[in-house]
């Protein structure tokens, strides 16, 4: 993956049925190019406090939200590169900072050792948030992603995530990407990432198919479902 460490952008999410996905791609595919890493299996470890303060604040639509996660593209081994990230949202704008480390270094960090990272300042910021809230690994969440960008404006990107799955045990990336599927039927989470307005062809396609934004959060929805399961245990 490209080693970009700081992101600032506007993001919009949509939940699509399989038919909506296929119909939309018929209308917009001529305007898109496949990303360099078009197909990827994204694996994440989400951090939170024992009281799940971060995700509860996010679900309550706080003015400022933040998440801490460890991410890999495909299942890594201990020597592979992974991304330690802090993602925040302020007044609708998403900011993401991340450092690149080896998976082995991540486990050294959890054991209290100092580690070398691609950006010491960002690593210090992640470390500060983890210690401030006493964050720990809480959920593994994986999904299969297709990534595109606009042929005329590479800053406009579209991703489609499917087969969202999770587990709250065996919270190690190298243990594989298995987990409980979130959706019972075929659905896609479409995410738009842009620095400005949406292209007119895309706006017209959404309007024609009556596709509307959704505030879907993978971690948030999986966490809410876990609360429902506890009620029925």
């Amino acid at each position: 993956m490209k080693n970009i460490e700081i992101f600032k952008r506007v993001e919009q999410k949509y939940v699509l049925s399989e038919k909506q996905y296929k119909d939309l791609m018929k209308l917009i595919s001529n305007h898109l190019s496949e990303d360099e890493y078009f197909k990827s299996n994204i694996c994440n470890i989400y951090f939170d406090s024992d009281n799940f303060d971060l995700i509860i604040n996010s679900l309550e639509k706080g003015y400022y939200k933040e998440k801490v996660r460890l991410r890999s593209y495909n299942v890594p081994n201990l020597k592979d590169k992974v991304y330690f990230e802090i993602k925040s949202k302020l007044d609708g704008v998403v900011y993401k900072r991340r450092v690149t480390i080896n998976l082995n270094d991540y486990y050294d960090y959890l054991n209290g050792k100092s580690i070398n990272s691609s950006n010491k300042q960002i690593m210090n910021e992640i470390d500060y948030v983890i210690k401030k809230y006493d964050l720990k690994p809480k959920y593994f969440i994986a999904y299969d992603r297709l990534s595109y960008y606009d042929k005329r404006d590479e800053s406009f990107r579209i991703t489609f995530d499917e087969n969202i799955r999770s587990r709250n045990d065996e919270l190690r990336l190298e243990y594989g990407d298995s987990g409980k599927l979130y959706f019972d039927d075929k659905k896609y989470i479409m995410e738009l990432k842009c620095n400005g307005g949406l292209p007119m062809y895309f706006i017209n396609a959404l309007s024609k198919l009556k596709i509307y934004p959704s505030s879907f959060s993978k971690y948030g929805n999986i966490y809410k479902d876990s609360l429902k399961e506890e009620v029925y245990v």
Side-chain angles (χ1 to χ4, degrees):
M1 300 297 296
K2 295 178 181 178
N3 190 23
I4 302 173
E5 296 181 328
I6 300 175
F7 303 78
K8 176 186 176 183
R9 60 199 179 197
V10 175
E11 297 181 353
Q12 291 183 3
K13 293 181 181 179
Y14 302 74
V15 181
L16 307 182
S17 66
E18 186 171 20
K19 183 179 185 307
Q20 286 177 314
Y21 165 74
K22 290 180 178 179
D23 289 345
L24 179 63
M25 289 305 293
K26 288 177 183 177
L27 295 177
I28 68 173
S29 59
N30 289 338
H31 298 273
L32 304 177
S33 292
E34 295 179 356
D35 190 80
E36 180 182 359
Y37 301 94
F38 170 57
K39 290 186 178 182
S40 55
N41 173 17
I42 299 182
C43 303
N44 305 277
I45 301 291
Y46 280 85
F47 281 65
D48 216 321
S49 68
D50 287 339
N51 294 323
F52 292 94
D53 295 303
L54 295 191
I55 194 58
I56 289 173
N57 177 66
S58 179
L59 291 171
E60 291 177 347
K61 311 297 182 184
Y63 179 74
Y64 178 76
K65 311 173 187 178
E66 56 188 348
K67 296 176 183 176
V68 176
R69 68 190 178 200
L70 184 75
R71 167 169 288 188
S72 68
Y73 295 85
N74 301 310
V75 177
N77 62 47
L78 293 175
K79 295 182 180 180
D80 283 339
K81 298 292 185 182
V82 294
Y83 301 92
F84 215 171
E85 303 179 343
I86 180 168
K87 185 176 182 180
S88 56
K89 190 172 185 179
L90 177 64
D91 197 23
V93 179
V94 174
Y95 302 84
K96 185 169 76 172
R97 281 89 67 207
R98 73 182 187 187
V99 295
T100 307
I101 58 177
N102 291 330
L103 185 55
N104 254 334
D105 292 335
Y106 162 73
Y107 292 121
D108 285 343
Y109 170 77
L110 290 186
N111 289 324
K113 298 179 182 179
S114 59
I115 60 173
N116 293 322
S117 69
S118 56
N119 188 311
K120 187 175 181 180
Q121 180 178 343
I122 296 176
M123 187 63 223
N124 286 341
E125 181 182 355
I126 294 171
D127 181 61
Y128 171 79
V129 174
I130 287 176
K131 290 177 178 175
K132 177 182 178 181
Y133 296 105
D134 192 20
L135 303 183
K136 303 166 187 172
K138 290 296 182 181
Y139 271 92
F140 170 90
I141 299 176
Y143 37 91
D144 304 317
R145 170 169 287 183
L146 302 177
S147 301
Y148 299 89
Y149 63 89
D150 186 279
K151 291 179 179 179
R152 294 188 176 183
D153 179 8
E154 292 189 14
S155 68
F156 176 57
R157 297 184 64 243
I158 307 173
T159 59
F160 297 94
D161 297 337
E162 60 177 321
N163 302 321
I164 300 170
R165 51 209 183 267
S166 66
R167 60 179 187 258
N168 58 7
D169 58 1
E170 297 187 333
L171 300 177
R172 295 176 69 105
L173 294 179
E174 73 274 21
Y175 281 3
D177 64 349
S178 63
K180 178 184 177 183
L181 284 172
Y182 179 76
F183 290 115
D184 294 329
D185 54 353
K186 188 76 167 179
K187 281 192 170 57
Y188 295 82
I189 305 302
M190 177 175 70
E191 190 167 335
L192 314 181
K193 304 170 185 181
C194 58
N195 296 326
L198 302 179
M200 188 55 64
Y201 73 84
F202 194 82
I203 294 174
N204 290 338
L206 294 180
S207 177
K208 181 177 181 179
L209 298 175
K210 294 181 171 56
I211 295 174
Y212 305 105
S214 170
S215 59
F216 186 90
S217 161
K218 299 181 185 75
Y219 177 30
N221 282 55
I222 288 169
Y223 171 72
K224 285 192 294 185
D225 270 18
S226 72
L227 298 180
K228 295 176 186 177
E229 292 174 359
E230 289 178 6
V231 171
Y232 292 105
V233 170

